[in-house]
Amino acid sequence: MIEKLKSSYYKKATFKKILTQSPKNDGVINIHRYDVSNVGDLYCAPHQYFEELKGKYSDIFLYKRTDKSDRNKLINDMTNNSLIIGGGGLLNRGSFTNQMKFYEKLAQNGKKTVLWGVGHNEKKASLYGKISSYDVNIENFGMAGTRDYSMPGEWLPCVSCLHELFDKSYSSTQEIGVVFHKKTIQQPHITSKFKDFPSTSNTIDLEALIQFIGNSEYIITDSYHAMYWSMLLGKKVAVIPNSSKFYDFKYNPVFTDFDNAIKQVKKASIKDGLLEECRELNRNFAKRAFSYLEI
């Protein structure tokens, strides 16, 4: 309880201090969820793929760190730089709502802002496939590309498609591979259902995960990025959704549950040309974004 109170205090104090500063756009910083325990969060940000952004990133959660130097870093980064926000499921998610509304306010106060490949991430199952608006007005940002095909803004799939690992050739050595979310891997009553199949999780390093996917003919997963990367590699994918984010990709996988996934995955199909489609969209967006940000 004490830690939660501290976190709430630090959050409010950090936001307040940033708002008291005169906004500058001297450089650029890429704000996203920099989580080394979730390979999707780690590699869904453009600073990983463009020389203009190399080393220019900050974790979206620094605002509530108990270490004052972490909070001061975020204050300096956000006061002095234009902002690239994303990627990842930062919209319609309670844990990110305050941050996103704060970035929206900064944008309205003169801060140059770019939403890059962000998407909705509503956890209420009753709203899956029914999201029609975001918890911020993306028109208030300087530029907005979202990974949700049917939503406002231009469609901009996750920038991780630019990773060089997708240029390699992979041979299928296993029929069905299972990729668990980092929370699911801790639930034996679920993982035991797939004990007869090769499996891994989104906690391993990117190269190992892409190799695992590449070696599989079919993929079963409850990880958004495992779904996306599997589709980029031309795999047949069945998804067990745990958020609204799975329902708004341009091309649908097979939706199922843990009990029926093994049978349902055989109904999945492949979307040819997806890798190049996603790459072209991100490269074109980058040209416009870098012009807008003057970098």
Side-chain angles (χ1 to χ4, degrees):
M1 178 60 74
I2 293 177
E3 289 303 314
K4 286 186 177 181
L5 290 173
K6 285 184 178 180
S7 176
S8 178
Y9 169 77
Y10 291 141
K11 175 181 65 178
K12 293 176 181 178
T14 301
F15 287 171
K16 184 177 180 179
K17 189 167 185 178
I18 293 172
L19 287 173
T20 63
Q21 309 295 314
S22 297
K24 299 176 183 178
N25 294 292
D26 294 338
V28 62
I29 196 78
N30 183 185
I31 306 288
H32 73 110
R33 181 66 184 102
Y34 193 87
D35 182 0
V36 296
S37 70
N38 184 320
V39 70
D41 286 342
L42 193 60
Y43 284 96
C44 71
H47 73 84
Q48 298 275 15
Y49 308 100
F50 294 97
E51 192 64 30
E52 294 90 337
L53 304 176
K54 188 175 181 180
K56 300 175 181 179
Y57 66 90
S58 191
D59 184 8
I60 197 171
F61 279 159
L62 282 187
Y63 72 94
K64 60 180 182 180
R65 295 276 182 86
T66 55
D67 189 328
K68 187 176 181 179
S69 63
D70 284 338
R71 301 196 306 278
N72 284 338
K73 178 183 184 304
L74 184 65
I75 291 169
N76 290 330
D77 283 344
M78 295 187 64
T79 297
N80 297 315
N81 295 289
S82 301
L83 305 179
I84 294 176
I85 303 153
L90 304 180
L91 301 173
N92 297 54
R93 182 68 181 269
S95 54
F96 297 122
T97 296
N98 287 333
Q99 295 97 304
M100 296 307 298
K101 288 185 179 297
F102 177 67
Y103 302 146
E104 182 181 16
K105 188 170 185 178
L106 288 178
Q108 293 175 295
N109 289 344
K111 177 70 67 176
K112 287 190 174 184
T113 54
V114 174
L115 298 181
W116 194 317
V118 295
H120 59 70
N121 196 7
E122 172 61 60
K123 301 300 285 187
K124 292 181 181 178
S126 61
L127 296 177
Y128 291 179
K130 300 177 182 178
I131 303 297
S132 59
S133 62
Y134 290 130
D135 53 2
V136 295
N137 183 355
I138 65 171
E139 293 183 1
N140 288 331
F141 295 84
M143 289 182 62
T146 73
R147 68 185 189 184
D148 305 318
Y149 187 68
S150 69
M151 297 292 285
E154 63 180 285
W155 184 53
L156 187 65
C158 180
V159 71
S160 58
C161 62
L162 294 176
H163 202 287
E164 61 186 11
L165 287 172
F166 295 106
D167 294 313
K168 294 185 177 182
S169 297
Y170 302 92
S171 299
S172 296
T173 58
Q174 57 199 31
E175 183 182 25
I176 296 176
V178 185
V179 182
F180 295 110
H181 187 274
K182 68 175 186 178
K183 293 183 179 179
T184 311
I185 199 69
Q186 302 173 19
Q187 302 179 55
H189 69 284
I190 293 177
T191 58
S192 62
K193 298 177 186 292
F194 303 92
K195 64 182 185 328
D196 296 328
F197 299 91
S199 65
T200 187
S201 75
N202 65 349
T203 61
I204 65 173
D205 69 83
L206 183 64
E207 185 171 6
L209 180 53
I210 298 302
Q211 182 72 54
F212 180 88
I213 293 171
N215 290 342
S216 307
E217 183 178 355
Y218 299 90
I219 289 291
I220 295 170
T221 188
D222 62 338
S223 160
Y224 179 89
H225 281 94
M227 174 197 77
Y228 178 56
W229 296 335
S230 298
M231 295 174 76
L232 293 180
L233 288 173
K235 304 301 177 179
K236 299 172 182 177
V237 187
V239 164
I240 300 93
N242 55 35
S243 160
S244 65
K245 60 188 175 184
F246 293 92
Y247 289 88
D248 227 336
F249 190 61
K250 184 177 180 179
Y251 308 102
N252 286 333
V254 167
F255 293 109
T256 184
D257 53 40
F258 288 114
D259 291 326
N260 296 291
I262 296 170
K263 179 172 61 177
Q264 294 293 322
V265 72
K266 298 295 182 69
K267 298 179 181 180
S269 59
I270 295 171
K271 171 57 184 174
D272 293 327
L274 180 59
L275 178 60
E276 283 311 313
E277 179 180 7
C278 295
R279 284 179 163 181
E280 182 178 6
L281 288 167
N282 273 280
R283 288 168 179 153
N284 289 339
F285 187 84
K287 290 178 182 179
R288 290 182 283 120
F290 294 164
S291 176
Y292 162 67
L293 295 169
E294 299 181 276
I295 59 174

PDB file of all heavy atoms in Angstrom, residues 212-225:
ATOM      1  N   PHE A 212      11.983 -20.114 -33.384  1.00  0.00           N
ATOM      2  CA  PHE A 212      10.944 -21.071 -33.002  1.00  0.00           C
ATOM      3  C   PHE A 212       9.735 -20.950 -33.922  1.00  0.00           C
ATOM      4  O   PHE A 212       9.198 -21.950 -34.409  1.00  0.00           O
ATOM      5  CB  PHE A 212      10.525 -20.828 -31.544  1.00  0.00           C
ATOM      6  CG  PHE A 212       9.456 -21.755 -31.044  1.00  0.00           C
ATOM      7  CD1 PHE A 212       9.783 -22.981 -30.477  1.00  0.00           C
ATOM      8  CD2 PHE A 212       8.105 -21.404 -31.139  1.00  0.00           C
ATOM      9  CE1 PHE A 212       8.790 -23.849 -30.014  1.00  0.00           C
ATOM     10  CE2 PHE A 212       7.112 -22.259 -30.689  1.00  0.00           C
ATOM     11  CZ  PHE A 212       7.459 -23.481 -30.127  1.00  0.00           C
ATOM     12  N   ILE A 213       9.311 -19.728 -34.162  1.00  0.00           N
ATOM     13  CA  ILE A 213       8.179 -19.504 -35.060  1.00  0.00           C
ATOM     14  C   ILE A 213       8.512 -19.983 -36.467  1.00  0.00           C
ATOM     15  O   ILE A 213       7.710 -20.656 -37.125  1.00  0.00           O
ATOM     16  CB  ILE A 213       7.786 -18.009 -35.073  1.00  0.00           C
ATOM     17  CG1 ILE A 213       7.216 -17.593 -33.718  1.00  0.00           C
ATOM     18  CG2 ILE A 213       6.762 -17.722 -36.184  1.00  0.00           C
ATOM     19  CD1 ILE A 213       7.010 -16.093 -33.565  1.00  0.00           C
ATOM     20  N   GLY A 214       9.704 -19.627 -36.922  1.00  0.00           N
ATOM     21  CA  GLY A 214      10.115 -20.020 -38.260  1.00  0.00           C
ATOM     22  C   GLY A 214      10.164 -21.514 -38.467  1.00  0.00           C
ATOM     23  O   GLY A 214       9.957 -22.007 -39.583  1.00  0.00           O
ATOM     24  N   ASN A 215      10.435 -22.254 -37.406  1.00  0.00           N
ATOM     25  CA  ASN A 215      10.526 -23.710 -37.487  1.00  0.00           C
ATOM     26  C   ASN A 215       9.172 -24.407 -37.382  1.00  0.00           C
ATOM     27  O   ASN A 215       9.102 -25.631 -37.447  1.00  0.00           O
ATOM     28  CB  ASN A 215      11.438 -24.246 -36.383  1.00  0.00           C
ATOM     29  CG  ASN A 215      12.900 -23.905 -36.612  1.00  0.00           C
ATOM     30  OD1 ASN A 215      13.293 -23.561 -37.721  1.00  0.00           O
ATOM     31  ND2 ASN A 215      13.701 -23.975 -35.572  1.00  0.00           N
ATOM     32  N   SER A 216       8.102 -23.610 -37.194  1.00  0.00           N
ATOM     33  CA  SER A 216       6.762 -24.168 -37.011  1.00  0.00           C
ATOM     34  C   SER A 216       5.910 -23.934 -38.262  1.00  0.00           C
ATOM     35  O   SER A 216       6.017 -22.904 -38.923  1.00  0.00           O
ATOM     36  CB  SER A 216       6.073 -23.524 -35.803  1.00  0.00           C
ATOM     37  OG  SER A 216       6.877 -23.612 -34.634  1.00  0.00           O
ATOM     38  N   GLU A 217       5.047 -24.895 -38.558  1.00  0.00           N
ATOM     39  CA  GLU A 217       4.097 -24.715 -39.652  1.00  0.00           C
ATOM     40  C   GLU A 217       2.860 -23.960 -39.167  1.00  0.00           C
ATOM     41  O   GLU A 217       2.320 -23.107 -39.860  1.00  0.00           O
ATOM     42  CB  GLU A 217       3.681 -26.075 -40.226  1.00  0.00           C
ATOM     43  CG  GLU A 217       2.740 -25.974 -41.415  1.00  0.00           C
ATOM     44  CD  GLU A 217       2.368 -27.338 -41.999  1.00  0.00           C
ATOM     45  OE1 GLU A 217       2.916 -28.355 -41.524  1.00  0.00           O
ATOM     46  OE2 GLU A 217       1.523 -27.370 -42.914  1.00  0.00           O
ATOM     47  N   TYR A 218       2.421 -24.287 -37.944  1.00  0.00           N
ATOM     48  CA  TYR A 218       1.272 -23.623 -37.316  1.00  0.00           C
ATOM     49  C   TYR A 218       1.730 -23.039 -35.983  1.00  0.00           C
ATOM     50  O   TYR A 218       2.599 -23.604 -35.306  1.00  0.00           O
ATOM     51  CB  TYR A 218       0.141 -24.609 -37.032  1.00  0.00           C
ATOM     52  CG  TYR A 218      -0.447 -25.301 -38.242  1.00  0.00           C
ATOM     53  CD1 TYR A 218       0.074 -26.509 -38.704  1.00  0.00           C
ATOM     54  CD2 TYR A 218      -1.552 -24.766 -38.904  1.00  0.00           C
ATOM     55  CE1 TYR A 218      -0.478 -27.159 -39.799  1.00  0.00           C
ATOM     56  CE2 TYR A 218      -2.116 -25.410 -40.005  1.00  0.00           C
ATOM     57  CZ  TYR A 218      -1.573 -26.604 -40.438  1.00  0.00           C
ATOM     58  OH  TYR A 218      -2.121 -27.244 -41.523  1.00  0.00           O
ATOM     59  N   ILE A 219       1.130 -21.902 -35.603  1.00  0.00           N
ATOM     60  CA  ILE A 219       1.421 -21.294 -34.307  1.00  0.00           C
ATOM     61  C   ILE A 219       0.116 -21.073 -33.542  1.00  0.00           C
ATOM     62  O   ILE A 219      -0.866 -20.542 -34.074  1.00  0.00           O
ATOM     63  CB  ILE A 219       2.148 -19.939 -34.458  1.00  0.00           C
ATOM     64  CG1 ILE A 219       3.577 -20.144 -34.939  1.00  0.00           C
ATOM     65  CG2 ILE A 219       2.144 -19.165 -33.135  1.00  0.00           C
ATOM     66  CD1 ILE A 219       4.508 -20.796 -33.914  1.00  0.00           C
ATOM     67  N   ILE A 220       0.131 -21.476 -32.280  1.00  0.00           N
ATOM     68  CA  ILE A 220      -0.944 -21.178 -31.332  1.00  0.00           C
ATOM     69  C   ILE A 220      -0.369 -20.211 -30.299  1.00  0.00           C
ATOM     70  O   ILE A 220       0.711 -20.463 -29.748  1.00  0.00           O
ATOM     71  CB  ILE A 220      -1.438 -22.452 -30.625  1.00  0.00           C
ATOM     72  CG1 ILE A 220      -2.077 -23.406 -31.626  1.00  0.00           C
ATOM     73  CG2 ILE A 220      -2.419 -22.112 -29.513  1.00  0.00           C
ATOM     74  CD1 ILE A 220      -2.382 -24.780 -31.058  1.00  0.00           C
ATOM     75  N   THR A 221      -1.057 -19.100 -30.034  1.00  0.00           N
ATOM     76  CA  THR A 221      -0.481 -18.121 -29.114  1.00  0.00           C
ATOM     77  C   THR A 221      -1.543 -17.237 -28.468  1.00  0.00           C
ATOM     78  O   THR A 221      -2.638 -17.056 -29.008  1.00  0.00           O
ATOM     79  CB  THR A 221       0.539 -17.221 -29.848  1.00  0.00           C
ATOM     80  OG1 THR A 221       1.216 -16.398 -28.904  1.00  0.00           O
ATOM     81  CG2 THR A 221      -0.134 -16.354 -30.906  1.00  0.00           C
ATOM     82  N   ASP A 222      -1.200 -16.675 -27.315  1.00  0.00           N
ATOM     83  CA  ASP A 222      -2.008 -15.625 -26.695  1.00  0.00           C
ATOM     84  C   ASP A 222      -1.166 -14.359 -26.530  1.00  0.00           C
ATOM     85  O   ASP A 222      -1.460 -13.501 -25.708  1.00  0.00           O
ATOM     86  CB  ASP A 222      -2.605 -16.079 -25.358  1.00  0.00           C
ATOM     87  CG  ASP A 222      -1.561 -16.433 -24.313  1.00  0.00           C
ATOM     88  OD1 ASP A 222      -0.398 -16.743 -24.682  1.00  0.00           O
ATOM     89  OD2 ASP A 222      -1.888 -16.426 -23.106  1.00  0.00           O
ATOM     90  N   SER A 223      -0.126 -14.245 -27.343  1.00  0.00           N
ATOM     91  CA  SER A 223       0.741 -13.073 -27.376  1.00  0.00           C
ATOM     92  C   SER A 223       0.501 -12.308 -28.676  1.00  0.00           C
ATOM     93  O   SER A 223       0.581 -12.895 -29.765  1.00  0.00           O
ATOM     94  CB  SER A 223       2.217 -13.491 -27.294  1.00  0.00           C
ATOM     95  OG  SER A 223       3.071 -12.463 -27.773  1.00  0.00           O
ATOM     96  N   TYR A 224       0.230 -11.006 -28.582  1.00  0.00           N
ATOM     97  CA  TYR A 224      -0.047 -10.209 -29.773  1.00  0.00           C
ATOM     98  C   TYR A 224       1.118 -10.246 -30.748  1.00  0.00           C
ATOM     99  O   TYR A 224       0.938 -10.459 -31.958  1.00  0.00           O
ATOM    100  CB  TYR A 224      -0.354  -8.763 -29.390  1.00  0.00           C
ATOM    101  CG  TYR A 224      -0.628  -7.873 -30.594  1.00  0.00           C
ATOM    102  CD1 TYR A 224      -1.918  -7.736 -31.096  1.00  0.00           C
ATOM    103  CD2 TYR A 224       0.404  -7.182 -31.235  1.00  0.00           C
ATOM    104  CE1 TYR A 224      -2.181  -6.940 -32.207  1.00  0.00           C
ATOM    105  CE2 TYR A 224       0.159  -6.387 -32.347  1.00  0.00           C
ATOM    106  CZ  TYR A 224      -1.132  -6.270 -32.831  1.00  0.00           C
ATOM    107  OH  TYR A 224      -1.369  -5.489 -33.933  1.00  0.00           O
ATOM    108  N   HIS A 225       2.322 -10.016 -30.255  1.00  0.00           N
ATOM    109  CA  HIS A 225       3.453  -9.951 -31.164  1.00  0.00           C
ATOM    110  C   HIS A 225       3.836 -11.317 -31.727  1.00  0.00           C
ATOM    111  O   HIS A 225       4.308 -11.411 -32.863  1.00  0.00           O
ATOM    112  CB  HIS A 225       4.640  -9.258 -30.494  1.00  0.00           C
ATOM    113  CG  HIS A 225       4.505  -7.772 -30.489  1.00  0.00           C
ATOM    114  ND1 HIS A 225       3.961  -7.086 -29.434  1.00  0.00           N
ATOM    115  CD2 HIS A 225       4.784  -6.844 -31.447  1.00  0.00           C
ATOM    116  CE1 HIS A 225       3.935  -5.789 -29.719  1.00  0.00           C
ATOM    117  NE2 HIS A 225       4.418  -5.614 -30.934  1.00  0.00           N
TER     118      HIS A 225
END
